[in-house]
């Protein structure tokens, strides 16, 4: 679903495996994963987070010991409910995005909301960590949705502004929130830098969410 993350992380792991085959690197060690993440980072930040799992964080922050801008680190002590989360990806559009992620990142340099955006991202990460460790699914959903909507708000306030969400994207968001309020099902949405919607929910909600997808969202 994210070409840079999947492609660059796979390439980095291939390079690290070559190092193991040549006897210059020991496999499945902290150094192996750190180097693989660092090499993936040369491609993209998303790739740096994608070499390992299950939960990784990229970017130096005082709330995660050992975190760095050069590579991602595994986040420890995640509650079991988040070890078995589901992600149903609703493909709203298969076409190429009107503005690429690379171009969008470039527009952040002149975005008047950039400084506040960076602060909000750090604040949300700090709020998210105890939520992940305590198993608070409702708070996780609240934080994830706020993060997704702010990402798209920044696109709309860039210069020039652009909109990647489609009418169907908004219809899905409204439907998910309405369904959650009416049924109490723990399901939230996220958006990547495009029109497609991710539904995030614990394994216990899978039957209800699948029914929603089949009956309304498709």
């Amino acid at each position: 679903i994210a070409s840079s993350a999947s492609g660059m992380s796979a390439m980095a792991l291939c390079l690290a495996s070559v190092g193991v085959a040549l006897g210059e690197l020991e496999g499945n060690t902290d150094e192996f994963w750190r180097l693989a993440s660092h090499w993936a980072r040369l491609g993209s930040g998303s790739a740096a987070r994608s070499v390992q799992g299950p939960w990784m964080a990229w970017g130096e922050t005082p709330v995660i010991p050992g975190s760095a801008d050069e590579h991602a680190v595994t986040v420890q002590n995640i509650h079991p409910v988040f070890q078995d989360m589901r992600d149903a990806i609703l493909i709203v559009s298969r076409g190429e995005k009107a503005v690429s992620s690379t171009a969008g990142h470039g527009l952040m340099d002149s975005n008047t909301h950039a400084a506040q955006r960076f602060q909000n991202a750090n604040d949300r990460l700090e709020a998210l960590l105890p939520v992940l460790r305590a198993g608070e699914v409702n708070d996780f959903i609240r934080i994830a949705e706020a993060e997704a909507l702010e990402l798209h708000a920044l696109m709309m306030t860039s210069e020039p502004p652009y909109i990647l969400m489609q009418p169907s994207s908004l219809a899905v968001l409204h439907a998910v929130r309405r369904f959650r309020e009416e049924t109490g099902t723990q399901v939230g949405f996220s958006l990547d830098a495009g029109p497609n919607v991710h539904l995030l929910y614990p394994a216990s909600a899978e039957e209800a969410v699948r029914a929603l997808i089949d009956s309304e969202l498709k």
Side-chain angles (χ1 to χ4, degrees):
I1 197 67
S3 57
S4 66
S6 57
M8 294 298 177
S9 60
M11 188 180 298
L13 285 168
C14 285
L15 290 172
S17 298
V18 169
V20 173
L22 295 175
E24 297 178 358
L25 188 64
E26 186 176 348
N28 199 28
T29 61
D30 289 344
E31 183 185 16
F32 174 92
W33 293 110
R34 179 181 58 78
L35 282 174
S37 180
H38 171 66
W39 292 336
R41 170 67 193 96
L42 301 178
S44 78
S46 298
R49 296 191 299 258
S50 300
V51 298
Q52 204 178 0
W55 290 80
M56 299 194 77
W58 164 58
E60 185 175 1
T61 169
V63 298
I64 300 179
S67 60
D69 292 338
E70 294 77 20
H71 60 85
V73 295
T74 300
V75 181
Q76 304 292 339
N77 302 318
I78 301 297
H79 191 277
V81 71
F82 292 117
Q83 302 285 6
D84 201 22
M85 289 289 285
R86 302 291 196 261
D87 178 6
I89 305 165
L90 305 181
I91 306 298
V92 172
S93 173
R94 296 181 182 274
E96 186 174 344
K97 293 186 298 186
V99 177
S100 70
S101 295
T102 300
H105 284 303
L107 290 173
M108 280 298 293
D109 292 338
S110 58
N111 193 304
T112 57
H113 302 287
Q116 186 62 55
R117 159 63 187 160
F118 301 146
Q119 183 61 53
N120 290 348
N122 280 284
D123 290 345
R124 287 199 186 101
L125 176 61
E126 185 173 359
L128 182 64
L129 289 174
V131 166
L132 292 174
R133 288 164 178 157
E136 300 291 345
V137 176
N138 291 335
D139 286 335
F140 169 81
I141 289 171
R142 175 180 54 79
I143 294 170
E145 290 185 350
E147 178 69 9
L149 292 173
E150 183 176 78
L151 171 66
H152 281 261
L154 286 163
M155 299 176 193
M156 298 178 199
T157 55
S158 295
E159 182 55 49
Y162 61 103
I163 301 173
L164 295 185
M165 277 194 286
Q166 298 295 322
S168 294
S169 309
L170 290 171
V172 169
L173 305 192
H174 286 302
V176 169
R177 285 192 162 178
R178 182 173 63 250
F179 176 75
R180 187 171 67 220
E181 291 171 0
E182 292 175 351
T183 68
T185 302
Q186 291 181 311
V187 56
F189 62 76
S190 185
L191 293 146
D192 52 20
N196 301 323
V197 182
H198 295 244
L199 301 187
L200 307 176
Y201 52 96
S204 60
E206 180 153 17
E207 184 176 351
V209 175
R210 288 291 177 182
L212 170 69
I213 292 171
D214 291 336
S215 65
E216 184 173 353
L217 300 185
K218 281 184 178 180

